[in-house]
């Protein structure tokens, strides 16, 4: 693996009951210190519970699919090419309301929340190259 070109098969996959995550850009993978970047896939009708990241801001970019996003007390529809900004410490959640996977790019600054997700008790870690069920 190059520090500058990361292919999906080179990165582990985190599997949850609601979908999958891949973190190709983290301090462990690239030595990035300012941010981390991951690809989120939420299955149809699924979502994750409200949570926050006390020390990191988050940006979500919608690649495909549709859903409902909450940020604090605000709730709104998200569709491809939308961008969502989530300040540090603000509760948020995402739900897939469509028939296809909701694909998002997530960026944390500074990095760190991806480690919490990796260590979550409901996370299954699939080695690089292994496909989810």
């Amino acid at each position: 693996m190059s520090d500058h070109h990361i292919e999906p098969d080179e990165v582990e996959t985190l599997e949850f009951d609601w979908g999958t995550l891949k973190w190709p850009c983290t301090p462990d993978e690239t030595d990035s210190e300012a941010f981390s970047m991951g690809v989120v896939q939420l299955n149809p009708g699924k979502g994750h519970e409200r949570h926050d990241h006390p020390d990191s801001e988050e940006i979500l970019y919608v690649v495909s699919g549709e859903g409902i996003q909450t940020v604090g007390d605000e709730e709104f529809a998200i569709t491809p090419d939308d961008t969502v900004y989530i300040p540090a410490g603000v509760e948020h959640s995402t739900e897939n309301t469509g028939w296809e996977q909701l694909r998002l790019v997530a960026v944390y600054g500074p990095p760190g929340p991806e480690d919490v997700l990796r260590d979550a008790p409901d996370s299954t870690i699939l080695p690089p190259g292994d496909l989810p069920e």
Side-chain angles (χ1 to χ4, degrees):
M1 174 177 3
S2 162
D3 285 342
H4 306 284
H5 177 226
I6 300 98
E7 296 181 22
D9 288 350
E10 298 173 331
V11 180
E12 69 187 14
T13 302
L14 304 182
E15 189 173 33
F16 297 87
D17 65 347
W18 47 261
T20 60
L21 287 166
K22 275 192 173 287
W23 294 101
C25 185
T26 67
D28 291 339
E29 296 291 335
T30 63
D31 295 328
S32 169
E33 296 178 12
F35 60 85
S36 58
M37 186 279 293
V39 178
V40 183
Q41 296 186 137
L42 279 88
N43 294 326
K46 300 286 186 170
H48 58 77
E49 294 182 17
R50 284 177 66 87
H51 64 283
D52 70 349
H53 311 290
D55 301 317
S56 296
E57 297 174 291
E58 182 175 4
I59 296 170
L60 296 173
Y61 176 78
V62 182
V63 176
S64 62
E66 56 189 50
I68 296 292
Q69 181 69 49
T70 60
V71 178
D73 294 332
E74 187 179 1
E75 181 177 286
F76 47 91
I78 53 173
T79 58
D81 295 324
D82 285 354
T83 300
V84 178
Y85 167 69
I86 304 161
V90 174
E91 287 195 338
H92 58 281
S93 63
T94 310
E95 181 183 350
N96 182 344
T97 58
W99 62 271
E100 63 182 330
Q101 282 190 327
L102 175 58
R103 289 180 47 92
L104 308 163
V105 172
V107 177
Y108 294 132
E114 68 280 354
D115 292 334
V116 174
L117 287 162
R118 188 179 193 282
D119 295 337
D122 59 340
S123 168
T124 300
I125 300 170
L126 302 176
D130 284 9
L131 296 174
E133 294 289 321

